Amino acid sequence: MSIIPGFVLGLAVIPILLGLARAFGLYTCVGECQSQVFTLFGKVIGTIDQAGLHFPISYYGPRAMLIPFFGKKYVVNTALRQHYLRSQMVNSEEGTPMGVGIWYEMQVKDPVAYLFTNANPDGSLQANVTSSTISTLSNLEMEKMLEDRHSLSRTVRAAVSPLSEKWGYRLGSVYIRKVEFTDVQMVENITEKVVKRLVQVTSAMKQDGENRVGLIKSETAFKVSQKMAEASAARPEIVGKKLNEIAKLDPEILDTVQEVMEIDNLLESDAAIDVLPEMGNLLIQLGDRTRL
Amino acid sequence: MFFLAAFVAGLIVYSTFRVLAGCLYTVSPDQRAVVTSFGAAQIMPGTRQAADAGNPSLSDDEVQRYEYPQVQVIRPGGPYFKMPWQTVHKVTVATQAVDLSWDPSKYQETIEAVTKDNLTTGVNGQIRYRISESNLYPFLFGVTSPLEHVMGYFVSVLRERIANFVDPKGQSLLEATELETGDGDGKADAASSSAVELSEGVSINDLRKNLPLLNQYMEEQCRNTTARYGIELDAALITEIDPPAEVDRALSAINSTRNQVAADISTARADSEQQITMSARAVEIATNNAQAEVAPLQELAGTLASIKKEGGSACLQAYLRNARVPLFKRAGRFLIKTSSDKGANQ
């Protein structure tokens, strides 16, 4: 009959022993990025922040056995955390109301200070970041606020870090994540301004296009006019040049050529021809009267 | 005696069950694993110092803030054995995607960003990432929610970039190459530059035109997320930049006008080329006609010159008289002078 209790005890003894050991604080397991703070009789007796298996008794002596009864073990996560503060209201130098979003990282660096210096370190850090952001960004030019965010972020970080360190925090990166216009009317006005600008660009582009077309047409008219003048001048130039050449060689030849060509052209035409001797004006008049 | 034997049997059963049930594990091909013993990871010796030695993507200040050791990584395979006091942390290293608008504390379909000309626009897209096998410590232990950190950092950098963005090529809405007259005319250049000046400050257009550049910048800026959070950014794909509807319509009007202007200029150029070609042909035609007119003159002059050379002026006169003979065939009447008239004239 003692087999069953013996077997059950055999199954349970290890978990029971481990549970008792933990309950009496004989050993503790510290995870990566974790710190454990031990207090006894209202005093901090030590912190273990190295990951792994530890025996508090080896650190604090026999008084470690009293921790479960008269003290406490605090487990603090020291991993990097982040927080986003949305829509913090600031006013630019021009008086424009702006919403600013701040994203920041923080990490517990001093677990004891984190636990006991400030009852609400997270809330206090948020308030500090908010306050520092507003004081850094207020009365800045809107353009600087929008475009120079990283340097402003560094300024906020430098302002908040000393305060947060008092409470065991180490502030990580701080970024101004968002800068927005909170006034709907203002957003609409800016949109309208951009639309007007775009319309202006459209008009300018259209006008520029018309100017370019006009320029091309006028240049074309100029070139075409030059060419047409060149075409008109081609005949006088070529014919005149040739007649000059002939005249230079022999004027009589030129006269003869002209006369021969006149005769040829006269023959080709169907005109009525009267052949008169030179100095025959009276006879011409006579001939005309006879026709009538 | 029986009690002791049963006790030992129970102890053995418990131990066997714990060992067999929880101490064998495998790692699938897309996974990597890290084992912790009593909560402590297996740190690679000397890696903390190596990390301190310098990381080109981090500033000195950041190196101190993001100082993480390297851990022993279990690669795919198995079955592996672990002791009961050890814990296996598995992570998938396959590439994953997350919407740019993802925010665990707020639902949103797009993220708002203010451009350089103060216009509030909606931005959307996707970032692809994978957990860095070479820096698993921050992902598993060092950072509480690594993806939130990556998104926080990414969105901050993106919004600042959008607020500062100007077209690096000179932000011309009028493409110089499209509208060049081709002859490098100074007047045309002046007209173009005036339009370019007007287009400055319309950064929404610049952003849309330079999306690849923006994506590239974001990828470069986010390279240090591997060292910071153990997440390696594979690609940043900003796919949408949505201004208000009226701005979109104005942008469409610009594009339509640009196309219309380009078409008008093309037509004008074609007309111009045609007219210039035709006028050049007219010159050729006039020249040929004149040459045709000159050819008989030249030939006749040559012939008459050879006649004169052989027979002198008398022969030339004779030829001329002969040329007039056909006129008499065509003449309606003749007046012939008598010899007395001839004498009186002389």
Side-chain angles (χ1 to χ4, degrees):
Chain A
M1 286 304 287
S2 60
I3 293 174
I4 292 172
F7 184 75
V8 172
L9 190 63
L11 283 177
V13 71
I14 293 176
I16 289 170
L17 285 177
L18 289 174
L20 285 172
R22 272 200 304 274
F24 284 99
L26 294 178
Y27 81 95
T28 185
C29 291
V30 179
E32 291 289 345
C33 292
Q34 194 183 74
S35 285
Q36 294 187 354
V37 179
F38 295 89
T39 60
L40 181 65
F41 301 121
K43 287 181 181 173
V44 176
I45 60 168
T47 303
I48 301 175
D49 52 13
Q50 288 293 314
L53 177 66
H54 298 276
F55 300 98
I57 201 164
S58 66
Y59 292 91
Y60 315 119
R63 60 182 178 159
M65 302 291 287
L66 299 174
I67 292 172
F69 306 103
F70 304 105
K72 193 174 177 183
K73 180 179 80 174
Y74 296 88
V75 178
V76 178
N77 183 5
T78 57
L80 195 66
R81 286 182 281 154
Q82 56 94 41
H83 191 77
Y84 185 26
L85 284 172
R86 297 179 192 275
S87 299
Q88 302 301 309
M89 293 301 297
V90 293
N91 269 47
S92 70
E93 190 186 48
E94 301 90 340
T96 313
M98 310 280 285
V100 179
I102 307 287
W103 176 75
Y104 63 92
E105 297 172 333
M106 68 282 198
Q107 187 177 20
V108 175
K109 199 64 186 169
D110 181 353
V112 176
Y114 171 74
L115 286 170
F116 306 113
T117 309
N118 191 321
N120 182 12
D122 284 352
S124 297
L125 182 64
Q126 281 181 31
N128 273 350
V129 172
T130 306
S131 163
S132 177
T133 303
I134 291 170
S135 62
T136 305
L137 300 185
S138 284
N139 298 322
L140 275 180
E141 288 174 20
M142 191 170 72
E143 196 176 319
K144 189 172 173 57
M145 207 185 290
L146 281 164
E147 295 177 12
D148 198 16
R149 302 183 195 194
H150 287 348
S151 67
L152 295 173
S153 301
R154 281 192 287 273
T155 309
V156 172
R157 183 171 183 276
V160 178
S161 278
L163 288 169
S164 59
E165 280 167 10
K166 285 181 190 170
W167 309 324
Y169 264 129
R170 185 172 73 171
L171 200 64
S173 298
V174 179
Y175 287 99
I176 296 174
R177 188 166 132 157
K178 187 176 186 181
V179 178
E180 61 180 331
F181 297 104
T182 52
D183 184 14
V184 178
Q185 186 67 42
M186 188 172 180
V187 172
E188 284 173 2
N189 287 343
I190 291 168
T191 305
E192 196 180 343
K193 181 197 79 178
V194 172
V195 169
K196 280 180 179 169
R197 184 151 185 75
L198 289 170
V199 169
Q200 190 186 4
V201 170
T202 309
S203 304
M205 195 180 286
K206 201 171 177 181
Q207 186 60 52
D208 181 66
E210 284 171 7
N211 290 345
R212 281 162 185 268
V213 169
L215 194 65
I216 291 169
K217 283 184 176 174
S218 62
E219 281 175 354
T220 306
F222 176 52
K223 285 178 185 171
V224 168
S225 169
Q226 277 182 326
K227 287 288 179 189
M228 294 314 287
E230 201 178 319
S232 301
R235 184 180 177 278
E237 185 191 350
I238 294 169
V239 175
K241 189 178 175 185
K242 183 52 68 184
L243 292 176
N244 271 335
E245 283 174 8
I246 295 169
K248 275 180 191 169
L249 287 173
D250 191 345
E252 188 183 0
I253 294 289
L254 178 61
D255 290 342
T256 312
V257 165
Q258 295 286 20
E259 201 153 342
V260 169
M261 292 190 78
E262 281 170 13
I263 292 166
D264 286 346
N265 284 324
L266 188 58
L267 286 171
E268 281 173 15
S269 72
D270 290 329
I273 299 171
D274 291 339
V275 178
L276 298 177
E278 291 176 10
M279 305 297 288
N281 289 338
L282 181 65
L283 292 173
I284 290 169
Q285 288 171 13
L286 182 64
D288 287 342
R289 188 168 296 174
T290 309
R291 275 186 187 171
L292 292 171
Chain B
M1 189 64 188
F2 285 116
F3 179 83
L4 191 63
F7 175 77
V8 172
L11 208 61
I12 289 168
V13 167
Y14 173 82
S15 303
T16 307
F17 179 78
R18 281 296 304 268
V19 169
L20 288 181
C23 292
L24 291 175
Y25 67 96
T26 59
V27 180
S28 60
D30 64 329
Q31 286 182 326
R32 302 292 181 269
V34 172
V35 174
T36 54
S37 302
F38 297 111
Q42 296 170 349
I43 306 294
M44 304 273 282
T47 52
R48 195 177 288 268
Q49 288 75 11
D52 290 348
N55 186 327
S57 61
L58 299 178
S59 65
D60 294 342
D61 182 41
E62 287 172 332
V63 166
Q64 288 177 353
R65 269 187 275 149
Y66 301 103
E67 179 199 37
Y68 301 114
Q70 286 189 347
V71 290
Q72 187 77 47
V73 178
I74 312 292
R75 303 189 66 78
Y80 295 111
F81 179 80
K82 74 173 184 66
M83 300 308 287
W85 54 85
Q86 290 183 317
T87 308
V88 179
H89 303 264
K90 292 181 187 175
V91 291
T92 176
V93 291
T95 301
Q96 297 171 69
V98 63
D99 237 26
L100 202 57
S101 58
W102 177 78
D103 189 333
S105 58
K106 181 187 177 187
Y107 173 76
Q108 55 189 3
E109 289 186 344
T110 182
I111 61 166
E112 285 183 354
V114 179
T115 62
K116 193 173 177 62
D117 48 2
N118 299 339
L119 184 70
T120 304
T121 59
V123 181
N124 214 336
Q126 191 186 66
I127 60 172
R128 283 203 303 264
Y129 68 94
R130 58 177 167 268
I131 295 159
S132 171
E133 187 183 336
S134 60
N135 200 19
L136 278 177
Y137 188 92
F139 184 82
L140 284 171
F141 311 111
V143 182
T144 312
S145 177
L147 192 55
E148 280 186 66
H149 286 252
V150 170
M151 292 304 290
Y153 174 71
F154 185 89
V155 172
S156 302
V157 173
L158 175 65
R159 282 192 171 128
E160 198 206 21
R161 185 62 186 141
I162 287 175
N164 284 296
F165 194 86
V166 288
D167 190 342
K169 292 191 290 289
Q171 55 173 346
S172 55
L173 285 176
L174 283 174
E175 291 296 339
T177 49
E178 268 183 57
L179 304 180
E180 274 294 325
T181 52
D183 55 3
D185 196 282
K187 290 174 189 173
D189 291 342
S192 172
S193 63
S194 66
V196 168
E197 279 167 20
L198 276 170
S199 72
E200 281 175 2
V202 189
S203 52
I204 182 71
N205 200 54
D206 299 337
L207 281 165
R208 278 187 162 175
K209 280 198 304 183
N210 294 287
L211 265 185
L213 203 65
L214 192 62
N215 287 331
Q216 189 188 342
Y217 175 83
M218 292 310 300
E219 283 172 22
E220 282 170 12
Q221 288 296 307
C222 294
R223 281 213 182 103
N224 59 13
T225 56
T226 309
R228 282 176 166 221
Y229 312 119
I231 290 181
E232 194 176 326
L233 201 72
D234 180 54
L237 301 168
I238 297 157
T239 51
E240 293 172 32
I241 294 183
D242 296 326
E246 51 266 48
V247 175
D248 242 350
R249 281 195 291 275
L251 283 171
S252 299
I254 283 184
N255 287 334
S256 303
T257 306
R258 179 161 51 193
N259 291 339
Q260 185 61 46
V261 165
D264 288 349
I265 288 173
S266 268
T267 309
R269 275 190 198 152
D271 283 350
S272 166
E273 281 171 17
Q274 192 181 1
Q275 285 182 38
I276 289 170
T277 307
M278 284 171 69
S279 58
R281 292 279 180 276
V283 172
E284 283 176 27
I285 290 166
T287 306
N288 289 340
N289 284 339
Q291 296 285 8
E293 193 178 335
V294 157
L297 278 174
Q298 189 172 3
E299 287 301 317
L300 186 59
T303 306
L304 293 176
S306 64
I307 290 170
K308 187 181 178 185
K309 191 177 180 183
E310 285 186 17
S313 292
C315 188
L316 207 58
Q317 289 302 320
Y319 174 82
L320 203 54
R321 284 188 66 190
N322 183 60
R324 285 198 196 103
V325 169
L327 283 177
F328 295 101
K329 288 182 183 172
R330 290 269 310 276
R333 56 178 160 175
F334 301 92
L335 293 174
I336 302 172
K337 290 183 180 179
T338 61
S339 56
S340 60
D341 291 335
K342 199 175 182 179
N345 284 335
Q346 289 169 351

